[in-house]
Amino acid sequence: MENKIVKVPFVNMEANYKEIQEELDIAYHRVMRSSSYILGQEVEAFESEFANYSETKYCVGVGNGLDALHLILRAMGIGSEDEVIVPAHTYIATWLAVSYAGAKPIPVEPDEQTYNINTTLIEAAITKRTKAILAVHLYGQPADMDAIQEIARRHNLKVIEDAAQAHGARYKGKRVGSLGDAAGFSFYPTKNLGAIGDGGAITTNDADLAEKLRMLRNYGSRVKYENEIQGFNTRLDEMQAAFLRVKLSKLDDWNNRRVNVANQYLESLTEYTHLTLPTIPSWAEPVWHLFVIRHSDRLNIEKHLHNNGIGTLVHYPIPPHLSGAYAGNNWDVGSFPVTEKISQEILSIPMSFHMTYEEVQTVIKNLIEAI
Ligand SMILES: *Cc1c(COP(=O)(O)O)cnc(C)c1O
């Protein structure tokens, strides 16, 4: 195999650690000395800080983002016989949460400009069984929540946000996580707010829902050994909560640095009109979890960038409806043509808050060469 020098990695977790090593080490020692490792003071403090950050009343820490979405559906009483509207173009976890709860995901095609759910197509997918709309803020760009809320109100549906890629983003000035009945977040290490392992959280303004979620994550129990309902074991770790508190205090700064990288890309690449750049609707303040470009000859661009030591990924190469997990649902090739076309043309170029000016310029230079 050829030995290529990595000039610009897709993400740089080492740089992330180095930037805050001292504070993480302090957090680590604080937890070790506390001798309290499950649902202790750190989780409680993080929940309060993250609720505050998300402009919601409650936050419930859980084991990961998939469980956050799954528990929300359970707490809402959504299960077998029910349908939930989901974007066709998303990470498969959005769909799996619905399936895991026993309900059926009903996919809706994306808007070609924003890659988020096309709200003009939602109503046609609603049936008597529909219980909720699960909207995703994909790539860090908020979905059109007013349009979604309006449809939900008319049909008496719950609105759930999958905010796993959008910690800190704003829609018409309001934080994601505060825009529906409840929101699920992931703290997978590479997310905008990431733990040193798995983690997740739910935000909501509904006190009853929050209480139910606290039971569901902890064996259906409020008081030790009193199991009121059949729950799960999916709690945010005390150690992860301590690390997340350190990172949460930096999140706005880190998101601003992502915006700065995105602006350099946008300014330098707009003149190349056959390359499709991300569109930012007037109501959106995105946090650039990913910077996704689109081109009919993706393969060639991918190859050129890789040959020049620049990391890229595709989010996502196989749409959920064509994955093995959903085989047998009669969703053949061609069922969701917009999603399928997008999945063949999109490319995520390096995006992280550690990127230097030189690294961003290297990506731009190589990208221009490739197109
Ligand atoms: C990461 C992600 C999830 C799942 O989060 P995990 O913590 O990995 O379980 C769900 N939805 C979207 C859109 C994601 O990007």
Side-chain angles (χ1 to χ4, degrees):
M1 241 180 73
E2 226 182 309
N3 200 5
K4 283 167 199 151
I5 295 163
V6 178
K7 280 193 222 145
V8 188
F10 187 73
V11 286
N12 187 348
M13 295 310 285
E14 197 188 341
N16 184 314
Y17 173 55
K18 280 189 180 143
E19 187 172 322
I20 50 170
Q21 183 174 358
E22 265 174 47
E23 285 165 90
L24 290 178
D25 289 350
I26 291 168
Y28 164 81
H29 288 294
R30 193 171 67 234
V31 174
M32 292 309 281
R33 277 193 303 265
S34 78
S35 307
S36 162
Y37 305 132
I38 299 284
L39 295 183
Q41 284 172 16
E42 300 290 337
V43 170
E44 205 174 297
F46 173 73
E47 286 177 340
S48 152
E49 288 159 13
F50 195 63
N52 189 42
Y53 180 85
S54 304
E55 300 171 357
T56 58
K57 286 192 190 136
Y58 310 100
C59 168
V60 180
V62 294
N64 55 66
L66 172 59
D67 281 344
L69 296 170
H70 167 227
L71 292 197
I72 290 169
L73 292 159
R74 292 257 176 191
M76 288 175 171
I78 295 169
S80 62
E81 313 287 302
D82 295 335
E83 294 178 354
V84 176
I85 305 279
V86 295
H89 180 62
T90 181
Y91 181 52
I92 196 169
T94 315
W95 288 39
L96 290 175
V98 177
S99 304
Y100 205 2
K104 189 175 183 207
I106 304 295
V108 169
E109 289 263 56
D111 175 294
E112 288 216 45
Q113 255 66 55
T114 63
Y115 305 117
N116 274 321
I117 195 165
N118 185 336
T119 56
T120 67
L121 302 176
I122 292 177
E123 215 142 16
I126 294 173
T127 72
K128 285 199 292 278
R129 292 169 187 256
T130 310
K131 290 289 176 338
I133 303 169
L134 175 39
V136 181
H137 307 302
L138 201 66
Y139 308 150
Q141 308 263 3
D144 188 359
M145 294 306 290
D146 278 356
I148 291 166
Q149 283 288 6
E150 202 266 321
I151 297 163
R153 257 194 304 275
R154 242 179 309 120
H155 295 270
N156 198 23
L157 307 176
K158 296 282 189 196
V159 174
I160 303 162
E161 295 171 81
D162 179 341
Q165 300 190 358
H167 321 67
R170 288 182 188 275
Y171 172 80
K172 297 185 181 172
K174 291 185 218 145
R175 287 265 199 224
V176 307
S178 70
L179 305 166
D181 294 293
F185 286 88
S186 163
F187 304 128
Y188 182 81
T190 55
K191 302 285 160 107
N192 288 44
L193 178 61
I196 318 294
D198 276 311
I202 297 147
T203 53
T204 182
N205 286 315
D206 182 332
D208 293 337
L209 194 75
E211 183 71 9
K212 191 132 190 234
L213 288 162
R214 284 185 207 287
M215 287 199 276
L216 280 173
R217 75 169 170 187
N218 190 29
Y219 291 112
S221 165
R222 255 185 285 224
V223 177
K224 208 172 172 79
Y225 304 129
E226 281 180 31
N227 301 87
E228 298 169 52
I229 53 173
Q230 288 185 3
F232 301 84
N233 174 5
T234 177
R235 302 166 293 217
L236 178 63
D237 270 8
E238 193 68 359
M239 189 68 84
Q240 298 303 342
F243 294 148
L244 286 166
R245 291 181 68 197
V246 172
K247 292 191 169 196
L248 181 59
S249 70
K250 324 273 178 200
L251 183 56
D252 282 340
D253 172 44
W254 289 349
N255 280 340
N256 286 337
R257 284 156 64 181
R258 285 176 185 268
V259 170
N260 188 27
V261 173
N263 286 343
Q264 289 181 63
Y265 281 148
L266 290 168
E267 276 160 33
S268 307
L269 296 169
T270 34
E271 62 187 280
Y272 301 90
T273 48
H274 48 299
L275 182 75
T276 307
L277 294 174
T279 305
I280 310 161
S282 59
W283 36 257
E285 288 173 55
V287 288
W288 302 103
H289 174 58
L290 297 166
F291 193 95
V292 175
I293 59 172
R294 187 172 166 192
H295 194 279
S296 53
D297 193 8
R298 174 182 77 203
L299 213 62
N300 219 9
I301 298 176
E302 232 176 348
K303 223 186 288 165
H304 183 82
L305 293 182
H306 290 185
N307 286 339
N308 287 282
I310 291 161
T312 67
L313 288 171
V314 174
H315 298 88
Y316 297 89
I318 303 168
H321 73 276
L322 298 180
S323 69
Y326 287 96
N329 281 275
N330 289 324
W331 288 315
D332 298 326
V333 173
S335 326
F336 297 98
V338 178
T339 299
E340 290 166 30
K341 188 156 181 269
I342 285 173
S343 73
Q344 284 163 16
E345 297 185 346
I346 48 175
L347 185 68
S348 307
I349 59 175
M351 166 52 75
S352 74
F353 56 89
H354 302 287
M355 284 181 81
T356 61
Y357 175 80
E358 286 71 27
E359 285 179 316
V360 178
Q361 293 306 314
T362 303
V363 176
I364 291 167
K365 177 181 153 284
N366 282 279
L367 196 51
I368 291 170
E369 276 168 21
I371 56 179

